[in-house]
Amino acid sequence: TYKVLDLARIRSSGLDQGQLELLPTQQPRRDESGRVVRPPRPRTLVVGPNEFMFLTASGDDTTLGVIVTARGEALRGTLQFPAYPVSIVYDEPHVIAVFATGRIDVYDTRSEPRVVQSVVGDVPDLMRVRRACVCAGGWVSTRVGRREAIDASDLRVFEPNRLHEAVSGRDRAMWTEAVDEEVEWRRELVDEAEPPVWPGPDRQNGLDRKTASLSRWTDANIVVLGSDSLHILAPQPQLIHIDALLHQQHVKEAVSLVDAALKGTTISMQSDEVEYCMQMAGMVCLKNMQLDDALLYFQRGHMDPRALLYLYPSHAEYAGPLLVPFAHIAMAPTLRQLFYEIGDLQSIASPEQQSQTEDLLEQYLEFCRTQMNTNEPPYASDAVPVIDTVLARVYADNMRHAKFSALVQGPNSVVGDIACAYLESAHKYYSCSLVYMAQGDVRSGLDLWRRLLEGEVSDERFGGMAEYLEYILGDLGDGVGHGLVDEYYWLVRHDVGASRHILACLTDDTVAVLDADRVVGDMQAVGAQREFIERLIAANHTRAPHFTTILLTAYVAEAAQSTDAESGFQSAQARDLGLTFQSYVASEHSSRARLVEMLGAQRSVFDASKVLACIEDAGNLGVERAMVLARLGRRDEAVEALVKAGDYAEAEMLLLRPMARESLARLAKQDASDKATDVARLLHLYVSVVDDDMAARLVSRLLDTYSEHISASTIEELPEHWMLGVVEPFVRHKLSDLAQSERASSVQRSVAIAHEQNARMQCAGDLINHGPVVLGVAQTCGVCRKLLGSSAFVYEPQSKQVKHISCA
């Protein structure tokens, strides 16, 4: 009888209270011949916590497997076996039964249908089956690349502590991974005499993940023990079936089997088996030019980007020193053979597919770059510079300008020497310059831009002078070594106009140490020279006076070729006698205007003698000559030159109003002189003016303005034929002054008489109050200290001093 014994209750209450009877066991019986037939041994099995299964045979040779709890409750139902099992073993949730005939059935105790798998005839006939067990202490795996039938000699069992990745015992899909530590197996995997050593984080538990043997899927790991032998039962692995489908180019069917096997498991998509299947699927699609599918499977299978590059010989040659030999990239021989069969991908692509193959490489490298930024990058660390460097070329070749800029200007591992060498050879000079600058070699990048600006090479992507100046003025900046100064020197030779932008950004300290001779020698335009020399002056450059002199002589030569300014000035002056030549030409943009401006600028420093000699040689620049003479302190000559040149207002300011802001007197220190003398001198010069009408206007204006400094006798010097209107204002003013002078004299006489009378009265009063004053012969004047003698004198009672009347 099958019984469940509760040992705790037996100890406390006795045997009768602690046992639960279930079913009677089968008893011996006699057959038709009378022989006693012994029943099979009762068998029980623990199938869970407080759950048990026991076997009971029925009369029609069938056997039931009843699963009950410790209380006798049947929760999972009953299993039905075709015969009484020789051995049963439980592997959650399966019961595996081995029969004497060699048949093995696997039953699911929790779902329908009950029979999961039945294997018939796999146990050798000569093997006397004794019992079976699940190989819980190890995992079954096979060699890589074997497609022939698998027998027991090809199977090996590895202990869990030798596994490269632990697989949960609850994963019933039987995906398994094993590591073969035998050197021969590793050599077979990589097709090399010596297995490669891979750097980077891919090594785990001391084993090389990429050289680990690819394991197989099995439906069960069952060990059958005979009386004197051991046999492992394993149907053909699922991986071999998938591999066969891939070789038959049934890609979708093979991938669907992989996806189905992955459902409900914790197996990673990065497991070697999954990656192998997906890589094989991608290569089959690639061979058939199904490029979109190939890209998808490569991404799922994490195809090594370095291996893929060998299908693009030009890219592989470009990345040359960065790539490991193709034979050293770990992969299964069957996968490697597909690479050899394809060879050059672009050679088998049609003209319409050429660009698509490039797009595939571009998209896959972008995917790889993203994956390398994850916590567990799927590729070796030395693949990073390969990915970035090749992507730089792909972006440049495919005109992906925005992507190229983002790649090289952001964090990257582009090998600059390789990328720049290719880009320059491919005439992609602008892209090459960006790589140089992004990697800190600004000088090489700017040298390429110079060649582009000079027209030595061309690249339509380059933004020309605008982009060059934007970088120079924005990113390079002043004071970073001599970078900005060097660019200024070059730009003066190439484009003087553009060099002004850099000159405006240079500090005075930088300008003060510039090689001024070099800059002026390279400049051809006088306008640029002027602007540069003005900066030299503002920065107190030691060579500023020299170059200012040179610039002025150049202006003199240009200004002497035209007399338009004089004729225009005379017309304007006829309407306004107060107009100066400086004011008239200030609104013009001619060399004459710039010459007058520089000569009249107080800050200008130059060799005045040289400039004067140059002006006198020109002969027709009277105003400019007067300005230089004023600088030299030769005021009288300057006034004569101004009157002769017709700049009367300027002459009047220089001679009579030297403190005026506009006066040329500010250019040099002038000797003090008498105002009346200066007015008389200017009047004499005005009378000598050739234009009689203009002379009359000037004299009339001068007589009216400075009448107080001119005597009435001056009228006698004026030409007799001039009309009375020229001197009438002056005469009126003088007569008015005379009348006022006579009235003033009468008042002054009355005041003097009053003062004298008061003095006499005061003196008489003092004499009365103080008595007579007696002087000795030796009495002296209190002021001049001379003897008074018989001279008239004055006595001051307050001070008691005696003084000559003249001294008082």
Side-chain angles (χ1 to χ4, degrees):
T1 302
Y2 289 108
K3 296 181 180 180
V4 179
L5 302 180
D6 188 341
L7 298 181
R9 294 190 64 183
I10 290 174
R11 294 192 194 97
S12 62
S13 304
L15 181 61
D16 293 339
Q17 300 297 323
Q19 60 180 337
L20 174 64
E21 294 188 4
L22 298 176
L23 291 175
T25 59
Q26 199 172 11
Q27 301 299 318
R29 61 182 177 83
R30 293 181 180 275
D31 59 9
E32 296 177 353
S33 62
R35 187 175 60 179
V36 176
V37 179
R38 294 184 178 277
R41 293 181 179 181
R43 298 189 181 282
T44 61
L45 186 65
V46 177
V47 295
N50 293 324
E51 283 191 287
F52 313 96
M53 186 182 78
F54 58 87
L55 301 181
T56 177
S58 61
D60 55 356
D61 293 332
T62 60
T63 300
L64 299 178
V66 182
I67 301 176
V68 297
T69 65
R71 297 178 179 273
E73 301 170 346
L75 299 180
R76 295 202 221 178
T78 301
L79 304 180
Q80 185 173 346
F81 303 99
Y84 202 89
V86 175
S87 176
I88 56 175
V89 63
Y90 182 73
D91 187 17
E92 172 69 28
H94 299 97
V95 170
I96 302 170
V98 180
F99 302 95
T101 60
R103 176 192 179 108
I104 298 177
D105 287 347
V106 180
Y107 298 85
D108 191 339
T109 63
R110 296 189 183 276
S111 62
E112 297 290 346
R114 294 293 187 181
V115 179
V116 176
Q117 186 174 7
S118 180
V119 182
V120 181
D122 279 357
V123 179
D125 294 339
L126 298 178
M127 181 179 179
R128 296 178 60 190
V129 178
R130 300 290 298 274
R131 60 173 298 190
C133 65
V134 174
C135 185
W139 308 96
V140 181
S141 70
T142 66
R143 294 190 182 188
V144 175
R146 301 282 183 161
R147 299 188 58 203
E148 62 271 14
I150 295 179
D151 55 28
S153 63
D154 287 318
L155 298 173
R156 303 193 179 203
V157 179
F158 298 97
E159 298 176 2
N161 58 8
R162 297 175 60 191
L163 284 177
H164 143 69
E165 288 185 1
V167 180
S168 171
R170 299 293 179 182
D171 292 336
R172 291 300 94 201
M174 314 312 177
W175 293 76
T176 61
E177 293 185 88
V179 174
D180 177 14
E181 292 182 304
E182 298 179 12
V183 175
E184 294 300 326
W185 278 31
R186 297 179 65 181
R187 290 176 179 172
E188 178 185 354
L189 178 66
V190 297
D191 286 343
E192 280 290 308
E194 293 295 335
V197 177
W198 300 100
D202 291 327
R203 302 180 66 85
Q204 300 179 7
N205 302 327
L207 300 175
D208 192 337
R209 181 175 186 272
K210 291 300 180 185
T211 58
S213 147
L214 294 178
S215 63
R216 304 304 191 199
W217 297 286
T218 59
D219 292 331
N221 304 325
I222 305 170
V223 180
V224 181
L225 292 80
S227 56
D228 56 359
S229 63
L230 181 147
H231 188 73
I232 299 176
L233 296 181
Q236 184 185 45
Q238 184 82 332
L239 183 59
I240 292 181
H241 178 53
I242 294 174
D243 191 52
L245 289 175
L246 291 173
H247 279 79
Q248 297 167 11
Q249 300 190 11
H250 300 316
V251 175
K252 292 186 177 180
E253 183 179 352
V255 173
S256 64
L257 289 177
V258 174
D259 292 337
L262 283 173
K263 288 182 179 179
T265 72
T266 60
I267 300 299
S268 170
M269 281 297 295
Q270 294 186 16
S271 63
D272 289 332
E273 295 91 340
V274 179
E275 289 185 350
Y276 168 75
C277 292
M278 294 302 169
Q279 291 174 11
M280 282 292 296
M283 289 301 295
V284 172
C285 291
L286 193 63
K287 188 175 181 181
N288 295 325
M289 298 307 293
Q290 299 170 350
L291 302 180
D292 291 340
D293 292 339
L295 175 63
L296 174 63
Y297 296 139
F298 284 157
Q299 291 174 345
R300 292 187 62 183
H302 297 102
M303 171 66 75
D304 193 321
R306 299 169 300 179
L308 188 62
L309 283 176
Y310 279 103
L311 297 179
Y312 297 80
S314 62
H315 291 292
E317 181 181 359
Y318 159 75
L322 302 178
L323 284 178
V324 297
F326 179 65
H328 287 182
I329 299 177
M331 65 177 66
T334 51
L335 187 61
R336 191 183 304 277
Q337 183 59 36
L338 282 177
F339 274 90
Y340 291 140
E341 292 176 4
I342 294 176
D344 185 352
L345 179 61
Q346 293 182 316
S347 66
I348 65 174
S350 64
E352 295 78 12
Q353 293 173 327
Q354 292 291 332
S355 62
Q356 298 177 17
T357 59
E358 285 292 324
D359 290 344
L360 180 144
L361 178 63
E362 176 184 336
Q363 294 178 46
Y364 187 65
L365 291 179
E366 289 176 342
F367 169 80
C368 294
R369 194 167 193 267
T370 304
Q371 293 297 303
M372 292 306 291
N373 294 326
T374 59
N375 294 330
E376 297 182 2
Y379 313 110
S381 58
D382 58 354
V384 176
V386 178
I387 295 170
D388 285 0
T389 306
V390 176
L391 260 182
R393 169 179 171 167
V394 171
Y395 285 155
D397 289 344
N398 295 343
M399 307 297 286
R400 306 285 198 270
H401 303 319
K403 289 184 176 181
F404 180 88
S405 299
L407 172 66
V408 300
Q409 293 173 1
N412 66 82
S413 299
V414 175
V415 179
D417 294 341
I418 295 177
C420 290
Y422 167 76
L423 293 171
E424 192 161 357
S425 66
H427 308 301
K428 301 182 183 300
Y429 302 104
Y430 180 72
S431 298
C432 182
S433 68
L434 293 185
V435 176
Y436 276 133
M437 292 176 175
Q439 298 198 347
D441 190 358
V442 177
R443 180 71 272 148
S444 296
L446 289 177
D447 287 343
L448 277 177
W449 283 12
R450 287 183 180 182
R451 294 172 62 191
L452 289 167
L453 289 170
E454 290 172 347
E456 178 184 344
V457 295
S458 62
D459 191 327
E460 61 181 10
R461 285 196 60 203
F462 181 50
M465 184 59 71
E467 182 173 2
Y468 172 82
L469 289 176
E470 181 181 1
Y471 178 81
I472 290 297
L473 301 178
D475 296 338
L476 190 60
D478 187 19
V480 182
H482 297 285
L484 196 58
V485 174
D486 291 341
E487 295 308 307
Y488 177 68
Y489 286 148
W490 173 80
L491 205 53
V492 166
R493 297 193 308 272
H494 175 71
D495 188 336
V496 176
S499 69
R500 296 175 176 176
H501 297 284
I502 298 182
L503 181 63
C505 293
L506 295 176
T507 64
D508 286 346
D509 291 339
T510 303
V511 174
V513 297
L514 286 177
D515 187 347
D517 294 275
R518 173 182 176 181
V519 174
V520 173
D522 291 336
M523 283 181 174
Q524 300 299 324
V526 176
Q529 290 179 348
R530 169 180 172 269
E531 188 172 343
F532 175 69
I533 292 172
E534 286 179 347
R535 278 304 309 274
L536 294 182
I537 297 170
N540 296 319
H541 196 284
T542 56
R543 297 284 287 163
H546 170 72
F547 291 109
T548 305
T549 303
I550 294 176
L551 182 60
L552 286 173
T553 56
Y555 282 155
V556 168
E558 289 184 12
Q561 298 176 5
S562 175
T563 58
D564 295 340
E566 281 84 352
S567 59
F569 172 65
Q570 290 173 4
S571 299
Q573 189 186 50
R575 297 186 296 272
D576 180 9
L577 285 178
L579 180 67
T580 65
F581 188 76
Q582 284 193 79
S583 302
Y584 174 75
V585 299
S587 59
E588 297 184 359
H589 299 283
S590 61
S591 57
R592 184 75 178 269
R594 289 191 290 271
L595 174 61
V596 170
E597 180 185 357
M598 289 192 67
L599 291 175
Q602 208 165 359
R603 67 179 184 278
S604 296
V605 181
F606 55 89
D607 188 335
S609 298
K610 288 185 179 181
V611 175
L612 178 61
C614 183
I615 292 175
E616 289 177 344
D617 291 340
N620 59 345
L621 303 176
V623 175
E624 288 83 349
R625 178 173 177 271
M627 297 175 79
V628 178
L629 289 171
R631 279 184 174 273
L632 293 172
R634 296 156 63 177
R635 185 190 65 168
D636 293 342
E637 294 180 60
V639 172
E640 290 181 12
L642 288 170
V643 173
K644 184 177 180 180
D647 194 352
Y648 309 115
E650 194 74 73
E652 187 174 321
M653 278 195 296
L654 174 60
L655 192 61
L656 304 180
R657 289 187 290 153
M659 302 305 294
R661 188 180 61 178
E662 301 85 359
S663 174
L664 294 179
R666 73 188 185 283
L667 300 178
K669 185 177 181 180
Q670 306 293 333
D671 295 333
S673 61
D674 180 63
K675 191 66 168 286
T677 303
D678 290 339
V679 172
R681 177 174 177 75
L682 187 59
L683 182 64
H684 176 72
L685 292 174
Y686 281 170
V687 170
S688 303
V689 172
V690 177
D691 186 344
D692 196 57
D693 291 340
M694 177 60 70
R697 290 179 63 190
L698 292 172
V699 170
S700 177
R701 179 168 171 268
L702 188 65
L703 291 175
D704 185 36
T705 306
Y706 299 99
S707 59
E708 68 274 16
H709 301 290
I710 302 174
S711 65
S713 61
T714 304
I715 299 177
E716 298 176 359
E717 300 177 9
L718 300 182
E720 296 179 357
H721 64 276
W722 281 4
M723 298 180 65
L724 180 61
V726 174
V727 296
E728 181 180 358
F730 172 72
V731 172
R732 289 179 180 278
H733 193 276
K734 282 298 181 182
L735 291 175
S736 176
D737 289 345
L738 181 60
Q740 292 178 2
S741 176
E742 289 179 353
R743 286 195 295 272
S745 297
S746 175
V747 172
Q748 289 174 356
R749 284 196 297 272
S750 299
V751 171
I753 293 172
H755 280 301
E756 183 179 357
Q757 185 66 28
N758 289 336
R760 289 179 178 276
M761 292 176 65
Q762 184 176 1
C763 182
D766 291 337
L767 291 175
I768 295 172
N769 296 330
H770 299 286
V773 176
V774 180
L775 301 179
V777 178
Q779 181 69 43
T780 61
C781 176
V783 177
C784 66
R785 303 300 180 186
K786 293 180 180 180
L787 291 174
L788 291 176
S790 59
S791 301
F793 65 90
V794 175
Y795 173 74
E796 292 183 357
Q798 292 86 0
S799 61
K800 297 183 178 181
Q801 280 189 345
V802 179
K803 303 176 184 178
H804 288 111
I805 291 178
S806 58
C807 292

